[in-house]
Amino acid sequence: MNKLVLIGPPGAGKGTQAKMLSIKYQIPHISTGDILRENINRNTDLGRRAELFIERGQLVPDVLVLEIVLDRLHFEDCKAGYILDGFPRNLSQALELNKILSSEGEQLSAAILIDADRDSIIRRITGRRQCESCGAIYHIEEPSAEKAGICDKCGSEIIQRKDDHEKIVKKRLEVYEEQTQPLITYYDKLNILHRIDGHGGIDQIFNEICGLLQ
Ligand code: ADP
């Protein structure tokens, strides 16, 4: 168990679980969404090219995303394995990843699908707020520092992601159903798919994932 892919609709909890798995198994958490947002914040060429797609809830073109992933997978810390969160997101990205791995005599250890229903997703994402500096996640229904608009972990401002507004969330869900869901069948056929119910508590889901990775 060292090369993992997390798939699932937006807001299913992939990022949260990936961070916890990264600590437990001491392997890097690679989130293409985080890398793209970081580039937008730093106003890089890549960030400027990706921004319009993200704000509309569309996928960023494969060529940009593949460049990021290819580059990141060659970092020294990926030798022991990694957790890919938000990549691959369509069949051509999955085939490309497979090609990269096969050329190095490697393969994915598991693809973990964290699933959740449409209503829970919309409620979770539209109420989600994020620290613009450290990325800590809050929810408007939880009593927390979010009310004051200040992150209790690092003291920076807490904001709502532009693509977390309801209209864009619905678009992201459409894109997920059309482009990402086919990966479920793809990884199932490769016999590496594991399905996890994303409606449970964070710790319960984490224990379930760790259990299946044993
Ligand atoms: P979520 O999983 O909650 O939708 P992410 O942070 O993973 O959020 O992604 C946010 C946005 O970044 C996506 O809607 C998409 O525009 C872009 N993005 C992230 N990963 C990819 C990818 N592998 N391919 C294309 N676009 C991506």
PDB file of all heavy atoms in Angstrom, residues 159-188:
ATOM      1  N   ILE A 159     -12.230  32.617   4.246  1.00  0.00           N
ATOM      2  CA  ILE A 159     -13.011  33.057   3.085  1.00  0.00           C
ATOM      3  C   ILE A 159     -13.827  31.894   2.500  1.00  0.00           C
ATOM      4  O   ILE A 159     -13.615  30.738   2.859  1.00  0.00           O
ATOM      5  CB  ILE A 159     -12.088  33.601   1.967  1.00  0.00           C
ATOM      6  CG1 ILE A 159     -11.001  32.549   1.661  1.00  0.00           C
ATOM      7  CG2 ILE A 159     -11.440  34.929   2.356  1.00  0.00           C
ATOM      8  CD1 ILE A 159     -10.370  32.715   0.323  1.00  0.00           C
ATOM      9  N   GLN A 160     -14.710  32.216   1.596  1.00  0.00           N
ATOM     10  CA  GLN A 160     -15.419  31.170   0.860  1.00  0.00           C
ATOM     11  C   GLN A 160     -14.756  31.060  -0.519  1.00  0.00           C
ATOM     12  O   GLN A 160     -14.576  32.076  -1.207  1.00  0.00           O
ATOM     13  CB  GLN A 160     -16.899  31.527   0.685  1.00  0.00           C
ATOM     14  CG  GLN A 160     -17.661  30.433  -0.060  1.00  0.00           C
ATOM     15  CD  GLN A 160     -19.167  30.663  -0.127  1.00  0.00           C
ATOM     16  OE1 GLN A 160     -19.631  31.798  -0.125  1.00  0.00           O
ATOM     17  NE2 GLN A 160     -19.925  29.589  -0.179  1.00  0.00           N
ATOM     18  N   ARG A 161     -14.406  29.841  -0.934  1.00  0.00           N
ATOM     19  CA  ARG A 161     -13.821  29.664  -2.261  1.00  0.00           C
ATOM     20  C   ARG A 161     -14.837  30.094  -3.305  1.00  0.00           C
ATOM     21  O   ARG A 161     -16.022  29.806  -3.166  1.00  0.00           O
ATOM     22  CB  ARG A 161     -13.505  28.172  -2.482  1.00  0.00           C
ATOM     23  CG  ARG A 161     -12.087  27.794  -2.139  1.00  0.00           C
ATOM     24  CD  ARG A 161     -11.883  26.297  -2.085  1.00  0.00           C
ATOM     25  NE  ARG A 161     -12.282  25.555  -3.285  1.00  0.00           N
ATOM     26  CZ  ARG A 161     -12.141  24.238  -3.425  1.00  0.00           C
ATOM     27  NH1 ARG A 161     -11.626  23.520  -2.445  1.00  0.00           N
ATOM     28  NH2 ARG A 161     -12.529  23.628  -4.516  1.00  0.00           N
ATOM     29  N   LYS A 162     -14.379  30.774  -4.357  1.00  0.00           N
ATOM     30  CA  LYS A 162     -15.313  31.249  -5.384  1.00  0.00           C
ATOM     31  C   LYS A 162     -16.102  30.089  -5.987  1.00  0.00           C
ATOM     32  O   LYS A 162     -17.258  30.232  -6.338  1.00  0.00           O
ATOM     33  CB  LYS A 162     -14.547  31.953  -6.507  1.00  0.00           C
ATOM     34  CG  LYS A 162     -14.158  33.370  -6.172  1.00  0.00           C
ATOM     35  CD  LYS A 162     -13.613  34.051  -7.419  1.00  0.00           C
ATOM     36  CE  LYS A 162     -13.000  35.383  -7.073  1.00  0.00           C
ATOM     37  NZ  LYS A 162     -12.080  35.859  -8.096  1.00  0.00           N
ATOM     38  N   ASP A 163     -15.438  28.918  -6.106  1.00  0.00           N
ATOM     39  CA  ASP A 163     -16.138  27.798  -6.733  1.00  0.00           C
ATOM     40  C   ASP A 163     -16.986  27.013  -5.738  1.00  0.00           C
ATOM     41  O   ASP A 163     -17.524  25.968  -6.057  1.00  0.00           O
ATOM     42  CB  ASP A 163     -15.150  26.880  -7.481  1.00  0.00           C
ATOM     43  CG  ASP A 163     -14.103  26.251  -6.580  1.00  0.00           C
ATOM     44  OD1 ASP A 163     -13.893  26.728  -5.446  1.00  0.00           O
ATOM     45  OD2 ASP A 163     -13.478  25.259  -7.013  1.00  0.00           O
ATOM     46  N   ASP A 164     -17.128  27.516  -4.507  1.00  0.00           N
ATOM     47  CA  ASP A 164     -17.989  26.859  -3.518  1.00  0.00           C
ATOM     48  C   ASP A 164     -19.393  27.479  -3.476  1.00  0.00           C
ATOM     49  O   ASP A 164     -20.211  27.117  -2.638  1.00  0.00           O
ATOM     50  CB  ASP A 164     -17.359  26.901  -2.116  1.00  0.00           C
ATOM     51  CG  ASP A 164     -16.319  25.784  -1.943  1.00  0.00           C
ATOM     52  OD1 ASP A 164     -16.190  24.947  -2.849  1.00  0.00           O
ATOM     53  OD2 ASP A 164     -15.656  25.740  -0.882  1.00  0.00           O
ATOM     54  N   HIS A 165     -19.678  28.429  -4.360  1.00  0.00           N
ATOM     55  CA  HIS A 165     -21.035  28.982  -4.434  1.00  0.00           C
ATOM     56  C   HIS A 165     -21.943  27.965  -5.133  1.00  0.00           C
ATOM     57  O   HIS A 165     -21.491  27.243  -6.031  1.00  0.00           O
ATOM     58  CB  HIS A 165     -21.026  30.319  -5.182  1.00  0.00           C
ATOM     59  CG  HIS A 165     -20.324  31.399  -4.401  1.00  0.00           C
ATOM     60  ND1 HIS A 165     -20.941  32.098  -3.393  1.00  0.00           N
ATOM     61  CD2 HIS A 165     -19.057  31.853  -4.448  1.00  0.00           C
ATOM     62  CE1 HIS A 165     -20.079  32.958  -2.873  1.00  0.00           C
ATOM     63  NE2 HIS A 165     -18.919  32.816  -3.489  1.00  0.00           N
ATOM     64  N   GLU A 166     -23.228  27.948  -4.731  1.00  0.00           N
ATOM     65  CA  GLU A 166     -24.122  26.860  -5.143  1.00  0.00           C
ATOM     66  C   GLU A 166     -24.151  26.586  -6.659  1.00  0.00           C
ATOM     67  O   GLU A 166     -24.087  25.433  -7.078  1.00  0.00           O
ATOM     68  CB  GLU A 166     -25.540  27.124  -4.617  1.00  0.00           C
ATOM     69  CG  GLU A 166     -26.454  25.936  -4.906  1.00  0.00           C
ATOM     70  CD  GLU A 166     -27.696  25.899  -4.043  1.00  0.00           C
ATOM     71  OE1 GLU A 166     -27.764  26.643  -3.042  1.00  0.00           O
ATOM     72  OE2 GLU A 166     -28.604  25.119  -4.382  1.00  0.00           O
ATOM     73  N   LYS A 167     -24.223  27.657  -7.441  1.00  0.00           N
ATOM     74  CA  LYS A 167     -24.342  27.457  -8.886  1.00  0.00           C
ATOM     75  C   LYS A 167     -23.102  26.707  -9.437  1.00  0.00           C
ATOM     76  O   LYS A 167     -23.216  25.806 -10.266  1.00  0.00           O
ATOM     77  CB  LYS A 167     -24.467  28.843  -9.547  1.00  0.00           C
ATOM     78  CG  LYS A 167     -24.785  28.808 -10.989  1.00  0.00           C
ATOM     79  CD  LYS A 167     -25.241  30.171 -11.488  1.00  0.00           C
ATOM     80  CE  LYS A 167     -24.946  30.261 -12.968  1.00  0.00           C
ATOM     81  NZ  LYS A 167     -24.001  31.318 -13.308  1.00  0.00           N
ATOM     82  N   ILE A 168     -21.952  27.071  -8.910  1.00  0.00           N
ATOM     83  CA  ILE A 168     -20.712  26.447  -9.388  1.00  0.00           C
ATOM     84  C   ILE A 168     -20.586  25.021  -8.843  1.00  0.00           C
ATOM     85  O   ILE A 168     -20.091  24.122  -9.519  1.00  0.00           O
ATOM     86  CB  ILE A 168     -19.476  27.296  -8.990  1.00  0.00           C
ATOM     87  CG1 ILE A 168     -19.650  28.746  -9.443  1.00  0.00           C
ATOM     88  CG2 ILE A 168     -18.187  26.725  -9.562  1.00  0.00           C
ATOM     89  CD1 ILE A 168     -19.736  28.927 -10.944  1.00  0.00           C
ATOM     90  N   VAL A 169     -21.070  24.817  -7.618  1.00  0.00           N
ATOM     91  CA  VAL A 169     -21.016  23.463  -7.042  1.00  0.00           C
ATOM     92  C   VAL A 169     -21.843  22.516  -7.916  1.00  0.00           C
ATOM     93  O   VAL A 169     -21.425  21.388  -8.205  1.00  0.00           O
ATOM     94  CB  VAL A 169     -21.551  23.452  -5.593  1.00  0.00           C
ATOM     95  CG1 VAL A 169     -21.649  22.032  -5.064  1.00  0.00           C
ATOM     96  CG2 VAL A 169     -20.664  24.297  -4.691  1.00  0.00           C
ATOM     97  N   LYS A 170     -22.995  23.001  -8.385  1.00  0.00           N
ATOM     98  CA  LYS A 170     -23.850  22.147  -9.230  1.00  0.00           C
ATOM     99  C   LYS A 170     -23.130  21.822 -10.537  1.00  0.00           C
ATOM    100  O   LYS A 170     -23.205  20.700 -11.032  1.00  0.00           O
ATOM    101  CB  LYS A 170     -25.186  22.835  -9.490  1.00  0.00           C
ATOM    102  CG  LYS A 170     -26.046  22.817  -8.225  1.00  0.00           C
ATOM    103  CD  LYS A 170     -27.433  23.338  -8.464  1.00  0.00           C
ATOM    104  CE  LYS A 170     -28.286  23.069  -7.217  1.00  0.00           C
ATOM    105  NZ  LYS A 170     -29.392  24.015  -7.085  1.00  0.00           N
ATOM    106  N   LYS A 171     -22.407  22.775 -11.062  1.00  0.00           N
ATOM    107  CA  LYS A 171     -21.637  22.536 -12.284  1.00  0.00           C
ATOM    108  C   LYS A 171     -20.529  21.504 -12.000  1.00  0.00           C
ATOM    109  O   LYS A 171     -20.293  20.581 -12.787  1.00  0.00           O
ATOM    110  CB  LYS A 171     -21.019  23.878 -12.764  1.00  0.00           C
ATOM    111  CG  LYS A 171     -20.098  23.772 -13.930  1.00  0.00           C
ATOM    112  CD  LYS A 171     -20.850  23.418 -15.202  1.00  0.00           C
ATOM    113  CE  LYS A 171     -19.902  23.021 -16.317  1.00  0.00           C
ATOM    114  NZ  LYS A 171     -20.596  22.386 -17.431  1.00  0.00           N
ATOM    115  N   ARG A 172     -19.854  21.656 -10.842  1.00  0.00           N
ATOM    116  CA  ARG A 172     -18.779  20.708 -10.506  1.00  0.00           C
ATOM    117  C   ARG A 172     -19.324  19.291 -10.374  1.00  0.00           C
ATOM    118  O   ARG A 172     -18.669  18.321 -10.750  1.00  0.00           O
ATOM    119  CB  ARG A 172     -18.077  21.135  -9.202  1.00  0.00           C
ATOM    120  CG  ARG A 172     -17.128  22.308  -9.418  1.00  0.00           C
ATOM    121  CD  ARG A 172     -16.834  23.045  -8.135  1.00  0.00           C
ATOM    122  NE  ARG A 172     -16.091  22.277  -7.166  1.00  0.00           N
ATOM    123  CZ  ARG A 172     -15.997  22.609  -5.874  1.00  0.00           C
ATOM    124  NH1 ARG A 172     -16.583  23.704  -5.429  1.00  0.00           N
ATOM    125  NH2 ARG A 172     -15.301  21.866  -5.049  1.00  0.00           N
ATOM    126  N   LEU A 173     -20.551  19.199  -9.830  1.00  0.00           N
ATOM    127  CA  LEU A 173     -21.161  17.874  -9.696  1.00  0.00           C
ATOM    128  C   LEU A 173     -21.469  17.261 -11.060  1.00  0.00           C
ATOM    129  O   LEU A 173     -21.283  16.061 -11.270  1.00  0.00           O
ATOM    130  CB  LEU A 173     -22.454  17.985  -8.882  1.00  0.00           C
ATOM    131  CG  LEU A 173     -22.241  17.928  -7.373  1.00  0.00           C
ATOM    132  CD1 LEU A 173     -23.510  18.325  -6.638  1.00  0.00           C
ATOM    133  CD2 LEU A 173     -21.819  16.524  -6.963  1.00  0.00           C
ATOM    134  N   GLU A 174     -21.926  18.103 -11.970  1.00  0.00           N
ATOM    135  CA  GLU A 174     -22.208  17.644 -13.333  1.00  0.00           C
ATOM    136  C   GLU A 174     -20.920  17.123 -13.984  1.00  0.00           C
ATOM    137  O   GLU A 174     -20.904  16.051 -14.573  1.00  0.00           O
ATOM    138  CB  GLU A 174     -22.645  18.869 -14.134  1.00  0.00           C
ATOM    139  CG  GLU A 174     -23.895  18.738 -14.950  1.00  0.00           C
ATOM    140  CD  GLU A 174     -24.222  20.112 -15.530  1.00  0.00           C
ATOM    141  OE1 GLU A 174     -23.552  20.524 -16.497  1.00  0.00           O
ATOM    142  OE2 GLU A 174     -25.121  20.786 -14.994  1.00  0.00           O
ATOM    143  N   VAL A 175     -19.856  17.908 -13.813  1.00  0.00           N
ATOM    144  CA  VAL A 175     -18.568  17.515 -14.392  1.00  0.00           C
ATOM    145  C   VAL A 175     -18.109  16.195 -13.760  1.00  0.00           C
ATOM    146  O   VAL A 175     -17.614  15.299 -14.435  1.00  0.00           O
ATOM    147  CB  VAL A 175     -17.514  18.631 -14.170  1.00  0.00           C
ATOM    148  CG1 VAL A 175     -16.115  18.155 -14.519  1.00  0.00           C
ATOM    149  CG2 VAL A 175     -17.872  19.864 -14.986  1.00  0.00           C
ATOM    150  N   TYR A 176     -18.315  16.069 -12.445  1.00  0.00           N
ATOM    151  CA  TYR A 176     -17.930  14.829 -11.760  1.00  0.00           C
ATOM    152  C   TYR A 176     -18.679  13.640 -12.365  1.00  0.00           C
ATOM    153  O   TYR A 176     -18.080  12.613 -12.695  1.00  0.00           O
ATOM    154  CB  TYR A 176     -18.230  14.940 -10.252  1.00  0.00           C
ATOM    155  CG  TYR A 176     -18.033  13.616  -9.548  1.00  0.00           C
ATOM    156  CD1 TYR A 176     -16.756  13.132  -9.296  1.00  0.00           C
ATOM    157  CD2 TYR A 176     -19.118  12.819  -9.185  1.00  0.00           C
ATOM    158  CE1 TYR A 176     -16.550  11.898  -8.695  1.00  0.00           C
ATOM    159  CE2 TYR A 176     -18.933  11.583  -8.582  1.00  0.00           C
ATOM    160  CZ  TYR A 176     -17.650  11.131  -8.339  1.00  0.00           C
ATOM    161  OH  TYR A 176     -17.458   9.901  -7.761  1.00  0.00           O
ATOM    162  N   GLU A 177     -20.006  13.808 -12.517  1.00  0.00           N
ATOM    163  CA  GLU A 177     -20.802  12.688 -13.031  1.00  0.00           C
ATOM    164  C   GLU A 177     -20.395  12.300 -14.450  1.00  0.00           C
ATOM    165  O   GLU A 177     -20.286  11.123 -14.771  1.00  0.00           O
ATOM    166  CB  GLU A 177     -22.301  13.033 -12.981  1.00  0.00           C
ATOM    167  CG  GLU A 177     -22.849  12.839 -11.579  1.00  0.00           C
ATOM    168  CD  GLU A 177     -24.129  13.620 -11.322  1.00  0.00           C
ATOM    169  OE1 GLU A 177     -24.793  14.031 -12.295  1.00  0.00           O
ATOM    170  OE2 GLU A 177     -24.454  13.833 -10.127  1.00  0.00           O
ATOM    171  N   GLU A 178     -20.134  13.315 -15.263  1.00  0.00           N
ATOM    172  CA  GLU A 178     -19.818  13.019 -16.667  1.00  0.00           C
ATOM    173  C   GLU A 178     -18.391  12.524 -16.856  1.00  0.00           C
ATOM    174  O   GLU A 178     -18.145  11.614 -17.624  1.00  0.00           O
ATOM    175  CB  GLU A 178     -19.981  14.286 -17.515  1.00  0.00           C
ATOM    176  CG  GLU A 178     -21.424  14.546 -17.881  1.00  0.00           C
ATOM    177  CD  GLU A 178     -21.615  15.939 -18.458  1.00  0.00           C
ATOM    178  OE1 GLU A 178     -20.623  16.575 -18.863  1.00  0.00           O
ATOM    179  OE2 GLU A 178     -22.772  16.388 -18.474  1.00  0.00           O
ATOM    180  N   GLN A 179     -17.455  13.155 -16.162  1.00  0.00           N
ATOM    181  CA  GLN A 179     -16.050  12.873 -16.497  1.00  0.00           C
ATOM    182  C   GLN A 179     -15.312  12.015 -15.479  1.00  0.00           C
ATOM    183  O   GLN A 179     -14.438  11.246 -15.845  1.00  0.00           O
ATOM    184  CB  GLN A 179     -15.303  14.195 -16.682  1.00  0.00           C
ATOM    185  CG  GLN A 179     -15.995  15.058 -17.727  1.00  0.00           C
ATOM    186  CD  GLN A 179     -15.057  16.111 -18.281  1.00  0.00           C
ATOM    187  OE1 GLN A 179     -13.895  15.827 -18.564  1.00  0.00           O
ATOM    188  NE2 GLN A 179     -15.536  17.325 -18.416  1.00  0.00           N
ATOM    189  N   THR A 180     -15.662  12.168 -14.196  1.00  0.00           N
ATOM    190  CA  THR A 180     -14.880  11.447 -13.182  1.00  0.00           C
ATOM    191  C   THR A 180     -15.501  10.092 -12.824  1.00  0.00           C
ATOM    192  O   THR A 180     -14.778   9.119 -12.614  1.00  0.00           O
ATOM    193  CB  THR A 180     -14.711  12.315 -11.919  1.00  0.00           C
ATOM    194  OG1 THR A 180     -14.291  13.627 -12.309  1.00  0.00           O
ATOM    195  CG2 THR A 180     -13.669  11.731 -10.979  1.00  0.00           C
ATOM    196  N   GLN A 181     -16.833  10.042 -12.804  1.00  0.00           N
ATOM    197  CA  GLN A 181     -17.463   8.773 -12.423  1.00  0.00           C
ATOM    198  C   GLN A 181     -17.029   7.560 -13.264  1.00  0.00           C
ATOM    199  O   GLN A 181     -16.915   6.467 -12.721  1.00  0.00           O
ATOM    200  CB  GLN A 181     -18.981   8.924 -12.426  1.00  0.00           C
ATOM    201  CG  GLN A 181     -19.489   9.138 -11.007  1.00  0.00           C
ATOM    202  CD  GLN A 181     -20.999   9.249 -10.929  1.00  0.00           C
ATOM    203  OE1 GLN A 181     -21.684   9.353 -11.949  1.00  0.00           O
ATOM    204  NE2 GLN A 181     -21.512   9.232  -9.730  1.00  0.00           N
ATOM    205  N   PRO A 182     -16.768   7.735 -14.562  1.00  0.00           N
ATOM    206  CA  PRO A 182     -16.309   6.571 -15.335  1.00  0.00           C
ATOM    207  C   PRO A 182     -15.036   5.924 -14.769  1.00  0.00           C
ATOM    208  O   PRO A 182     -14.746   4.754 -15.042  1.00  0.00           O
ATOM    209  CB  PRO A 182     -16.038   7.156 -16.731  1.00  0.00           C
ATOM    210  CG  PRO A 182     -16.946   8.344 -16.816  1.00  0.00           C
ATOM    211  CD  PRO A 182     -17.007   8.912 -15.426  1.00  0.00           C
ATOM    212  N   LEU A 183     -14.301   6.661 -13.937  1.00  0.00           N
ATOM    213  CA  LEU A 183     -13.085   6.083 -13.353  1.00  0.00           C
ATOM    214  C   LEU A 183     -13.415   4.964 -12.360  1.00  0.00           C
ATOM    215  O   LEU A 183     -12.585   4.105 -12.089  1.00  0.00           O
ATOM    216  CB  LEU A 183     -12.269   7.156 -12.620  1.00  0.00           C
ATOM    217  CG  LEU A 183     -11.723   8.299 -13.457  1.00  0.00           C
ATOM    218  CD1 LEU A 183     -10.848   9.200 -12.615  1.00  0.00           C
ATOM    219  CD2 LEU A 183     -10.927   7.737 -14.621  1.00  0.00           C
ATOM    220  N   ILE A 184     -14.634   5.019 -11.831  1.00  0.00           N
ATOM    221  CA  ILE A 184     -15.021   3.983 -10.866  1.00  0.00           C
ATOM    222  C   ILE A 184     -14.995   2.620 -11.563  1.00  0.00           C
ATOM    223  O   ILE A 184     -14.403   1.658 -11.062  1.00  0.00           O
ATOM    224  CB  ILE A 184     -16.428   4.293 -10.293  1.00  0.00           C
ATOM    225  CG1 ILE A 184     -16.402   5.643  -9.571  1.00  0.00           C
ATOM    226  CG2 ILE A 184     -16.885   3.172  -9.362  1.00  0.00           C
ATOM    227  CD1 ILE A 184     -17.771   6.121  -9.099  1.00  0.00           C
ATOM    228  N   THR A 185     -15.592   2.561 -12.746  1.00  0.00           N
ATOM    229  CA  THR A 185     -15.590   1.303 -13.504  1.00  0.00           C
ATOM    230  C   THR A 185     -14.167   0.945 -13.922  1.00  0.00           C
ATOM    231  O   THR A 185     -13.759  -0.222 -13.857  1.00  0.00           O
ATOM    232  CB  THR A 185     -16.454   1.476 -14.782  1.00  0.00           C
ATOM    233  OG1 THR A 185     -17.659   2.113 -14.412  1.00  0.00           O
ATOM    234  CG2 THR A 185     -16.735   0.166 -15.458  1.00  0.00           C
ATOM    235  N   TYR A 186     -13.419   1.965 -14.315  1.00  0.00           N
ATOM    236  CA  TYR A 186     -12.044   1.727 -14.776  1.00  0.00           C
ATOM    237  C   TYR A 186     -11.209   1.059 -13.670  1.00  0.00           C
ATOM    238  O   TYR A 186     -10.560   0.029 -13.902  1.00  0.00           O
ATOM    239  CB  TYR A 186     -11.430   3.072 -15.213  1.00  0.00           C
ATOM    240  CG  TYR A 186      -9.967   3.004 -15.555  1.00  0.00           C
ATOM    241  CD1 TYR A 186      -9.534   2.457 -16.761  1.00  0.00           C
ATOM    242  CD2 TYR A 186      -9.005   3.501 -14.676  1.00  0.00           C
ATOM    243  CE1 TYR A 186      -8.185   2.395 -17.073  1.00  0.00           C
ATOM    244  CE2 TYR A 186      -7.656   3.446 -14.982  1.00  0.00           C
ATOM    245  CZ  TYR A 186      -7.252   2.886 -16.182  1.00  0.00           C
ATOM    246  OH  TYR A 186      -5.920   2.826 -16.484  1.00  0.00           O
ATOM    247  N   TYR A 187     -11.256   1.625 -12.457  1.00  0.00           N
ATOM    248  CA  TYR A 187     -10.443   1.059 -11.373  1.00  0.00           C
ATOM    249  C   TYR A 187     -11.031  -0.250 -10.840  1.00  0.00           C
ATOM    250  O   TYR A 187     -10.303  -1.106 -10.347  1.00  0.00           O
ATOM    251  CB  TYR A 187     -10.249   2.095 -10.253  1.00  0.00           C
ATOM    252  CG  TYR A 187      -9.255   3.172 -10.655  1.00  0.00           C
ATOM    253  CD1 TYR A 187      -9.593   4.516 -10.636  1.00  0.00           C
ATOM    254  CD2 TYR A 187      -7.973   2.831 -11.085  1.00  0.00           C
ATOM    255  CE1 TYR A 187      -8.683   5.497 -11.034  1.00  0.00           C
ATOM    256  CE2 TYR A 187      -7.061   3.801 -11.488  1.00  0.00           C
ATOM    257  CZ  TYR A 187      -7.419   5.120 -11.456  1.00  0.00           C
ATOM    258  OH  TYR A 187      -6.515   6.078 -11.858  1.00  0.00           O
ATOM    259  N   ASP A 188     -12.351  -0.386 -10.985  1.00  0.00           N
ATOM    260  CA  ASP A 188     -12.979  -1.642 -10.567  1.00  0.00           C
ATOM    261  C   ASP A 188     -12.460  -2.778 -11.451  1.00  0.00           C
ATOM    262  O   ASP A 188     -12.111  -3.859 -10.974  1.00  0.00           O
ATOM    263  CB  ASP A 188     -14.502  -1.485 -10.691  1.00  0.00           C
ATOM    264  CG  ASP A 188     -15.226  -2.487  -9.826  1.00  0.00           C
ATOM    265  OD1 ASP A 188     -14.574  -3.077  -8.936  1.00  0.00           O
ATOM    266  OD2 ASP A 188     -16.429  -2.698 -10.029  1.00  0.00           O
TER     267      ASP A 188
END
